[in-house]
C-alpha cells in the first residue's frame, strides 16, 4: 500500500513562532508570537503537517545544553496546547563549524540553509515537498526555501522587517506575522 503523502509547513522557531531572544536560555523568556496558536490551527485545518526547523548553535557554543532545547520545545508545545494548537515535530541543529564544544563542531548538513532537517522530516513523515511551505524571519530560512524548492513566506517579526529592508525582497511574499502567513497559505490553498 502506498502511504499518502502530506504537505507540510516548515516553521522557523526564533522570531517566527516565538519572540526572538538571542541564544534563549531561560524558559521564562519564551513568549509565543501573537496569534501563533490561531495560525497553527488554521494551517492544521488546511491539512498541513506543522514542523519546526530551528538552528540552535547556542548548544555548540556552550551557552546551553541540548537538553534545554528539548525542554524548551516541550514548553512551547504546552503553551500552544493551552490554546488548542500543537506542533507535529521539532527539528533542531545543535552544530556549528566553529563550536567551542568539540562534539558539536562540524560543517553539518542540517544547519539552515542546508536542507537536512527538512529532508529528514520528509523521510520521517512522508511529506510532499512540492505542496509544502517555509515560513521564517531571516536569510537562512529564505535560502532553505531555495535549497528545498518550497515557496517562502517572510514574516516581519524577529529579524524579518530588517531582512526585508536589506534585501528589498521583491520576489518574496512578506507578511506581518505567522497568523498572516497562515491566512496567505489559506488563500493560495483555495485557488489551487
Ligand atoms: Mg528566526
Ligand atoms: Zn547540524
Amino acid at each position: 500500500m502506498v502511504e499518502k503523502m502530506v504537505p507540510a509547513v516548515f516553521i522557523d522557531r526564533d522570531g517566527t513562532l516565538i519572540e526572538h531572544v538571542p541564544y534563549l536560555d531561560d524558559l521564562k523568556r519564551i513568549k509565543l508570537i501573537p496569534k501563533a496558536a490561531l495560525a497553527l490551527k488554521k494551517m492544521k485545518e488546511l491539512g498541513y503537517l506543522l514542523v519546526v526547523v530551528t538552528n540552535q548553535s547556542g548548544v555548540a557554543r556552550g551557552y546551553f545544553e541540548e537538553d534545554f532545547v528539548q525542554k524548551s520545545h516541550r514548553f512551547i508545545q504546552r503553551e500552544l496546547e493551552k490554546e488548542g494548537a500543537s506542533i507535529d515535530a521539532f527539528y533542531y541543529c545543535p552544530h556549528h563549524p566553529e563550536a567551542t564544544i568539540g562534539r558539536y563542531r562540524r560543517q553539518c548538513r542540517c544547519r539552515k540553509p542546508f536542507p537536512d532537517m527538512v529532508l529528514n522530516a520528509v523521510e520521517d513523515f512522508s511529506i510532499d515537498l512540492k505542496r509544502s511551505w517555509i515560513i521564517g524571519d531571516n536569510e537562512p530560512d529564505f535560502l532553505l526555501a531555495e535549497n528545498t524548492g518550497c515557496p517562502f513566506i517572510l514574516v516581519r517579526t524577529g529579524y524579518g522587517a530588517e531582512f526585508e529592508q536589506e534585501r528589498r525582497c521583491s520576489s518574496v511574499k512578506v507578511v506581518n506575522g505567522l497568523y498572516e502567513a497562515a491566512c496567505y497559505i489559506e488563500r493560495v490553498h483555495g485557488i489551487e
Side-chain angles (χ1 to χ4, degrees):
M1 214 174 91
V2 183
E3 237 180 299
K4 200 162 173 286
M5 286 170 81
V6 290
V9 182
F10 296 97
I11 305 165
D12 170 54
R13 195 190 85 176
D14 301 339
T16 303
L17 178 63
I18 61 172
E19 301 285 358
H20 177 79
V21 175
Y23 302 112
L24 177 102
D25 63 355
D26 182 355
L27 294 183
K28 288 200 278 299
R29 299 183 72 194
I30 294 179
K31 211 172 151 259
L32 293 174
I33 291 285
K35 291 198 277 184
L38 271 181
L40 299 182
K41 281 195 273 190
K42 189 181 273 294
M43 293 187 281
K44 183 99 281 190
E45 275 164 24
L46 293 169
Y48 291 95
L49 200 78
L50 305 176
V51 181
V52 165
V53 287
T54 178
N55 285 349
Q56 292 299 325
S57 69
V59 174
R61 298 172 205 267
Y63 297 159
F64 45 81
E65 310 250 310
E66 221 174 303
D67 183 57
F68 175 77
V69 178
Q70 291 163 8
K71 216 182 269 172
S72 51
H73 292 168
R74 287 195 294 272
F75 182 87
I76 291 167
Q77 189 74 300
R78 281 197 303 275
E79 291 300 297
L80 289 169
E81 281 167 359
K82 284 180 198 165
E83 298 180 59
S86 66
I87 293 292
D88 293 299
F90 289 85
Y91 289 80
Y92 64 90
C93 165
H95 310 114
H96 195 272
E98 286 137 44
T100 44
I101 312 280
R103 66 183 185 282
Y104 295 113
R105 191 183 307 129
R106 98 171 60 131
Q107 184 61 68
C108 64
R109 299 281 304 170
C110 45
R111 183 172 165 76
K112 294 182 287 184
F114 290 108
D116 274 11
M117 288 194 282
V118 166
L119 298 182
N120 290 340
V122 164
E123 187 83 3
D124 294 345
F125 294 95
S126 293
I127 288 168
D128 185 353
L129 208 47
K130 286 191 219 73
R131 292 189 290 144
S132 297
W133 296 81
I134 291 179
I135 306 176
D137 72 318
N138 210 353
E139 186 160 38
D141 308 306
F142 169 75
L143 295 174
L144 174 68
E146 286 200 339
N147 291 340
T148 54
C150 295
F152 179 61
I153 305 175
L154 179 71
V155 288
R156 291 195 178 99
T157 50
Y159 285 120
E162 213 173 297
F163 181 60
E164 179 188 15
Q165 291 295 316
E166 264 168 36
R167 252 201 100 90
R168 287 185 208 93
C169 299
S170 52
S171 62
V172 171
K173 180 65 193 171
V174 190
V175 298
N176 282 340
L178 191 59
Y179 181 73
E180 289 76 12
C183 293
Y184 178 70
I185 289 175
E186 183 177 39
R187 278 205 301 284
V188 174
H189 189 97
I191 297 163
E192 275 171 352

